[in-house]
Amino acid sequence: MIRALPASARTAVPWKNGGGVTREIAAWPEGAGMDDFVWRVSLAEVAADGPFSAFPDVDRTLTVVEGAGMDLTVGGERWLVNTRYEPRDFRGDVPTDCRLLDGPVVNLNVMWRRGASATAVVPTAVVPTVAVVRGRLRLGGGALVVALDGAAEVAGVTLGPYDAVQLGAEGAVLHARGRTAVIGLSLPADAPLA
């Protein structure tokens, strides 16, 4: 079983700090807010310089998918993030400030709560892995697939840019004609996909 997550069904909502907008692709538990998700995947639009929202006890992986990139200051350390499709990990509770290099960007944003394995919700460690791939690839169960700059096909479902699917336990074969994000996620064994 797979769950289709079309880009056209997403609604733009303000960032936690109001400095931009984000479109949630998927989160666990489903319907969780900014303060109680175990993991969350979204596309964030950064249209102006300014601080990132703070997320206590949350780790993040950010991947620039549109635009020239950003000059970030993460906990006082400068990070030049100017290569598309290259995932970068950082802590969500470390002060992070952004200066755009040349206009707006769109980031694929994966967040997960530290210590989630100690909760009753998810019995296994929740540390998503993020890879940007192209070509044919056999995927394991639980993966979230997001087409980025071209079409992809997973289990008979064709994805356009920013469309996504979440795979059930059986996994599937991915045919990515453009760059496609594959995000490994943990869910309880009895978690429904729909």
Side-chain angles (χ1 to χ4, degrees):
M1 175 178 205
I2 68 167
R3 178 181 179 199
L5 301 162
S8 62
R10 297 183 200 126
T11 303
V13 296
W15 288 359
K16 187 177 173 184
N17 72 3
V21 298
T22 187
R23 288 176 170 79
E24 183 177 287
I25 297 170
W28 181 259
E30 187 152 341
M34 295 291 185
D35 295 322
D36 59 354
F37 63 81
V38 173
W39 57 258
R40 181 175 188 272
V41 179
S42 65
L43 287 162
E45 298 173 16
V46 185
D49 298 349
F52 279 15
S53 300
F55 286 91
D57 301 317
V58 170
D59 287 326
R60 301 173 72 162
T61 299
L62 175 146
T63 306
V64 174
V65 296
E66 282 185 38
M70 304 167 292
D71 188 353
L72 299 180
T73 304
V74 181
E77 182 182 338
R78 183 174 178 225
W79 290 17
L80 188 60
V81 182
N82 62 349
T83 304
R84 287 187 194 176
Y85 314 115
E86 184 178 296
R88 300 288 299 264
D89 298 328
F90 64 104
R91 294 173 69 103
D93 46 12
V94 173
T96 301
D97 196 60
C98 168
R99 186 179 62 78
L100 296 170
L101 296 179
D102 187 19
V105 299
V106 175
N107 297 318
L108 178 68
N109 192 28
V110 179
M111 298 188 287
W112 64 97
R113 197 160 308 280
R114 268 180 245 127
S117 60
T119 71
V121 178
V122 179
T124 58
V126 178
V127 180
T129 56
V130 180
V132 177
V133 300
R134 185 183 265 173
R136 182 184 159 103
L137 182 67
R138 175 80 186 156
L139 303 177
L144 181 68
V145 178
V146 184
L148 298 176
D149 72 345
E153 186 177 314
V154 181
V157 176
T158 300
L159 306 176
Y162 300 142
D163 289 338
V165 294
Q166 188 172 1
L167 302 179
E170 66 282 353
V173 174
L174 166 66
H175 298 275
R177 293 185 287 283
R179 288 178 191 89
T180 302
V182 176
I183 303 156
L185 299 167
S186 292
L187 287 172
D190 60 350
L193 288 182

